[in-house]
Amino acid sequence: MATLDNNSSLKTNTMGQTRKLGGTKRIALVAHDHKKKDLIDWAEYNKKVLSLHELVATGTTGNLLEEKLNLPVKRVYSGPLGGDQQIGAMIAEEKIDFIVFFWDPMEAQPHDSDVKALLRLAVAWNILIACNRTTADFLLTSVLMQEEYVIDLPDYSSYLKRKLI
């Protein structure tokens, strides 16, 4: 299990492990080229709420967000150059609490396998994920967004102990 910072902590309950999300969430912001404007518009509209959280973004999206919001944004590589995988690793290391990923359903991406892996990790680790403005609005404005919240972590022990041969 990854070492955690002060923003979250692990506990064990009768169902397995849980993780406490702090009041300040670590939000990853990702957008495909044809969805960058939508994400930037959404972020500008929600700047006040986003300013209460830690932001991480892939390449160009991060540059655009910092410029438009005038807020600090930790940037990783562009998605096709490994940024999606970096965000995925941060999910597995419990360094991301919420991902807003405006992906383009109408256009194939050269890094579709990375996109699928990122979405799979978000679901596998039971983190918040919004893939469109409506869901992002509902999640960001939830009363739970500013509070500590305990999430259940899936128990993958049987998968890890499976017989391979």
Side-chain angles (χ1 to χ4, degrees):
M1 191 63 56
T3 303
L4 300 177
D5 60 21
N6 293 333
N7 201 35
S8 61
S9 62
L10 288 175
K11 293 183 181 175
T12 302
N13 66 13
T14 56
M15 300 292 288
Q17 287 190 325
T18 61
R19 179 174 149 222
K20 182 173 72 173
L21 306 182
T24 299
K25 307 296 184 284
R26 294 158 306 175
I27 304 172
L29 301 163
V30 182
H32 285 156
D33 287 347
H34 291 104
K35 294 293 184 171
K36 288 191 190 315
K37 183 180 181 328
D38 293 343
L39 181 66
I40 300 303
D41 290 347
W42 174 83
E44 283 184 300
Y45 182 80
N46 290 289
K47 178 180 176 177
K48 184 176 180 180
V49 177
L50 289 173
S51 71
L52 303 173
H53 303 282
E54 296 174 29
L55 307 178
V56 178
T58 51
T60 307
T61 303
N63 290 333
L64 292 169
L65 286 165
E66 266 193 339
E67 180 183 304
K68 294 287 186 178
L69 301 179
N70 198 28
L71 295 173
V73 177
K74 177 181 178 176
R75 290 187 305 275
V76 298
Y77 290 123
S78 173
L81 299 176
D84 293 338
Q85 291 182 351
Q86 287 178 291
I87 298 287
M90 293 173 80
I91 290 169
E93 294 169 345
E94 300 174 3
K95 295 178 180 176
I96 295 292
D97 303 319
F98 176 13
I99 182 169
V100 178
F101 187 177
F102 285 11
W103 57 278
D104 190 345
M106 303 307 286
E107 191 160 321
Q109 302 295 320
H111 62 298
D112 273 338
S113 59
D114 297 337
V115 171
K116 183 177 180 181
L118 176 58
L119 295 171
R120 185 182 63 75
L121 284 168
V123 171
W125 290 106
N126 197 22
I127 69 160
L128 298 162
I129 183 165
C131 294
N132 59 49
R133 187 174 186 140
T134 302
T135 306
D137 283 342
F138 270 77
L139 290 175
L140 196 67
T141 60
S142 167
V143 296
L144 301 173
M145 197 62 189
Q146 311 307 322
E147 299 176 5
E148 289 185 350
Y149 184 81
V150 176
I151 60 172
D152 290 325
L153 296 177
D155 181 1
Y156 292 117
S157 59
S158 62
Y159 172 79
L160 295 172
K161 294 175 186 174
R162 74 196 183 285
K163 188 173 182 175
L164 297 175
I165 297 177

